[in-house]
C-alpha cells in the first residue's frame, strides 16, 4: 500500500481520537508492516491531563484512562468499519499504550491479511 494510504489512516486515527477523546494527537505517523498498521502519536494529552500527571496518582489515572478508553473506542463496529474499509482488511485485534512522561502513544492494529499487497 502506498504512503498515501498510511497518511489517510493517520488522518482517520486523528479524526476518531478527536471525536472520542476531545482532542487528537498533535503529530501522527502510521506505517504498514505486513498485517500491522502501527501508529505513533505525539502530543496527545489535554491541558487537564497535563495538570493531573504532576502527581503519581494522576499519572496512574491518566495512563489507565487513556489505554482503556482507546481499547473501547476500537471495540465499536462503526469505527472498526471505517478502518477496514480504508485498507480492505478486517481488524483482528488492537494494542495500545501511552508513555505519559513523553506524551507519546502507540497503537498497533492487527489485520487479517497483509496491508501492502
Amino acid at each position: 500500500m502506498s504512503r498515501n494510504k498510511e497518511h489517510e489512516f493517520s488522518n482517520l486515527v486523528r479524526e476518531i481520537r478527536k471525536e472520542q477523546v476531545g482532542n487528537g494527537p498533535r503529530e501522527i505517523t502510521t506505517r504498514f508492516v505486513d498485517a500491522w498498521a502501527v501508529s505513533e502519536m505525539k502530543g496527545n494529552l489535554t491541558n487537564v491531563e497535563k495538570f493531573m500527571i504532576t502527581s503519581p496518582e494522576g499519572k496512574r489515572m491518566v495512563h489507565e484512562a487513556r489505554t482503556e478508553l482507546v481499547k473501547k473506542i476500537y471495540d465499536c463496529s462503526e469505527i472498526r468499519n471505517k478502518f477496514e474499509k480504508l485498507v480492505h482488511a478486517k481488524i483482528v485485534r488492537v494494542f495500545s499504550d501511552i508513555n505519559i512522561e513523553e506524551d507519546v502513544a502507540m497503537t498497533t492494529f492487527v489485520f487479517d491479511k497483509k496491508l501492502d499487497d
Side-chain angles (χ1 to χ4, degrees):
M1 263 187 211
S2 69
R3 292 279 183 228
N4 188 44
K5 279 286 187 205
E6 292 173 339
H7 182 72
E8 289 179 57
F9 197 96
S10 291
N11 286 340
L12 184 55
V13 170
R14 178 180 283 112
E15 173 188 316
I16 288 169
R17 295 279 179 111
K18 188 171 188 174
E19 189 177 280
Q20 299 292 318
V21 181
N23 73 312
R26 177 181 31 80
E27 185 182 323
I28 181 168
T29 304
T30 299
R31 292 289 175 254
F32 295 149
V33 181
D34 294 322
W36 299 354
V38 181
S39 296
E40 177 185 30
M41 294 150 281
K42 297 176 181 176
N44 301 279
L45 300 176
T46 65
N47 288 336
V48 170
E49 289 171 324
K50 288 176 184 176
F51 173 76
M52 289 176 65
I53 66 171
T54 59
S55 74
E57 181 63 11
K59 281 183 186 178
R60 186 196 61 74
M61 288 172 53
V62 170
H63 184 270
E64 187 176 298
R66 279 290 180 149
T67 54
E68 291 306 312
L69 175 61
V70 168
K71 289 175 189 173
K72 290 199 184 312
I73 288 171
Y74 298 115
D75 281 344
C76 173
S77 61
E78 184 179 318
I79 290 172
R80 289 172 84 97
N81 288 340
K82 290 179 182 183
F83 288 98
E84 293 172 350
K85 183 178 177 185
L86 178 64
V87 299
H88 307 289
K90 296 284 184 198
I91 293 175
V92 175
R93 67 185 55 88
V94 176
F95 298 96
S96 187
D97 199 8
I98 186 168
N99 180 310
I100 297 297
E101 291 81 16
E102 294 181 22
D103 195 3
V104 175
M106 298 288 289
T107 300
T108 302
F109 301 81
V110 181
F111 290 90
D112 66 347
K113 62 182 183 179
K114 287 180 72 169
L115 301 178
D116 53 2
D117 287 343

